[in-house]
Amino acid sequence: MSSFSADWLALREPYDLRARNPAVLDAVVAWCKDIFAIKFVDLGCGTGSTFRALAPCLRGPQNWRLFDNDLGLLARAAATAPSATVTVTATPLDLGRDLEAALDGAIDIITTSALLDLVSERWLERLAIEITARSIPLYAAISHDGRIEIVPSDPFDRTIVAAVNLHQRTDKGFGPALGGTSASCAITQLKSFGYSVVHGTSDWVLEPHDCDIQMELFSSWAAAARQTGQVPADTVNWLARRRESVAARQSSIRVGHVDFWAHQTGNL
Ligand SMILES: C[S@@+](CC[C@H](N)C(=O)[O-])C[C@H]1O[C@@H](n2cnc3c(N)ncnc32)[C@H](O)[C@@H]1O
């Protein structure tokens, strides 16, 4: 599975949903409740995971404009409008190049999930400048923060995790990626622009019975680590040991993420 395939996004969605930080989500919902016919823009929507997580928490009409550069994912996203009062449009766009085009028109709130760790500091600045100029709030969920804990431990884990985090910082189409530092960079930047921020962890907690997602993660981490050229050849043996452990239902993983809600309070 590739990291943006529909199959991978479907596999991870229930874990993302369970992981979303409840205090951050409550703050988003509380802010939205007074706005009639609220207008969302979701950046890097995939198949619409953020829309599916948030739309049912809100009452009243909603308009969602979803953006991604993958036509197959967008087609799936557009097909999931849940009710007559919720409208969804899905638009293809390269957000690396044309972010500003996604922010055209009236917007009440910008959302994104599992995107910020792919972007560069420069891109984050562009986003922050655009939204600050118009006082638009941002709900950004499930940004990886670099923490990966695996039980039982393996002597090679530290090498693999370091290589995975190095790989996370390579260019994903937005310039050199911020990887595990993306949420803290965004929070610092938005606070310096006068935003109030509510944030909290949204870790995946994968238990021994969560075999499919663990198998996928270990395979993708081994591949990412190999691509960095920074790990010795026995990555293959590490992966074999990890797969055995998952198959024996003895493996647990915690993957660290951060959610945040940033909005202007008018106290600048
Ligand atoms: C990890 S997925 C997250 C998808 C979705 N937000 C979710 O939480 O399931 C990252 C998404 O960013 C999209 N993406 C990556 N680079 C992009 C770009 N340059 N322009 C627009 N979308 C992009 C991918 O197609 C993918 O849908």
Side-chain angles (χ1 to χ4, degrees), residues 3-4 8-9 12 16 20 42-50 67-70 73 93-96 112-115 118 172-174:
S3 46
F4 305 147
W8 167 243
L9 296 183
R12 63 175 286 171
D16 286 342
R20 279 175 189 266
D42 187 42
L43 303 175
C45 62
T47 65
S49 164
T50 291
F67 292 93
D68 205 284
N69 66 349
D70 184 311
L73 299 180
L93 195 72
D94 179 350
L95 290 167
T112 193
S113 60
L115 180 78
L118 307 176
K172 308 289 190 311
F174 297 86

